[in-house]
Amino acid sequence: MGARTRRPVSLVEAEQRRLQAADLFEQGMRQNKVAEVLGASRQAVSLWHRAWREGASDALLSTGPGGNSYLSAEQEAELEVLLRAGPVEHGWEDQRWTLARIGRLIEERFGVTYELSGVWRLLDRLGWSWQVPKVRAIERNEEANWCTQTWPAASHLRRSRQPADGSASRMRPGPG
């Protein structure tokens, strides 16, 4: 795997990095080298290069913050409180958080829609992890006989449907 990419901390920093990329493109530097120098992903640099080719450095200027596609720091803190309260507090019948449930909670509470993979990344960033219960269900019976019936053995061999000439195809006869 390649070098780790570095995410900008602000819109200004992100714009500065894109403009640095434009300068490097103008100097003839290859995209993979630009990615390495700026600590950006190759995919991001490829998108920057396309925009730069089509609209020069102006195409890489910031257009301002995006819509409400992400939660603010305050909303993330509120989400943590909501998650710690548990799923039952929010109308589900069991204490199991799923990505779909959390995504629905975010959409209902904050009006922001996430893909399931985005919910996963958000939870990871907040320090939440996928968990497996430590204790097995009380109802589980390890001694239970799962096989309650024995099927009768086959009484005859299955007849082959292949032609006598040995061909596997019904449409084309084999060599002969």
Side-chain angles (χ1 to χ4, degrees):
M1 194 139 189
R4 196 151 163 83
T5 60
R6 181 183 55 83
R7 295 186 65 127
V9 294
S10 69
L11 290 174
V12 172
E13 183 181 328
E15 181 181 76
Q16 288 172 347
R17 190 161 69 156
R18 289 191 305 272
L19 292 175
Q20 282 181 306
D23 289 341
L24 296 173
F25 296 148
E26 288 172 10
Q27 295 171 21
M29 188 178 286
R30 298 175 61 94
Q31 290 181 37
N32 61 348
K33 185 67 176 172
V34 171
E36 183 181 320
V37 168
L38 298 179
S41 70
R42 290 183 185 180
Q43 183 179 14
V45 172
S46 176
L47 293 171
W48 300 343
H49 188 264
R50 184 182 313 141
W52 171 77
R53 248 190 4 245
E54 294 171 2
S57 295
D58 289 344
L60 298 174
L61 293 174
S62 178
T63 58
N68 63 344
S69 59
Y70 298 104
L71 300 180
S72 67
E74 295 80 22
Q75 290 171 324
E76 287 180 0
E78 185 179 343
L79 175 63
E80 287 226 49
V81 171
L82 296 172
L83 293 175
R84 290 188 195 289
V88 173
E89 282 294 312
H90 301 285
W92 284 284
E93 294 180 7
D94 59 27
Q95 284 292 343
R96 200 170 35 101
W97 277 122
T98 64
L99 295 177
R101 286 179 178 184
I102 295 170
R104 187 168 151 199
L105 177 68
I106 292 170
E107 189 170 359
E108 289 174 357
R109 179 67 180 179
F110 306 108
V112 177
T113 303
Y114 277 87
E115 296 286 330
L116 293 181
S117 61
V119 173
W120 178 273
R121 285 190 298 273
L122 172 64
L123 292 173
D124 183 55
R125 196 172 67 247
L126 295 176
W128 288 70
S129 65
W130 177 74
Q131 299 289 314
V132 177
K134 290 182 182 177
V135 181
R136 292 186 186 258
I138 295 171
E139 300 85 9
R140 184 175 175 135
N141 183 356
E142 297 292 343
E143 316 307 320
N145 183 4
W146 291 94
C147 186
T148 58
Q149 132 183 90
T150 304
W151 291 84
S155 60
H156 60 281
L157 296 174
R158 184 172 178 195
R159 292 177 52 176
S160 173
R161 294 186 64 165
Q162 292 182 344
D165 63 6
S167 171
S169 171
R170 292 186 200 176
M171 303 304 283
R172 267 184 290 182

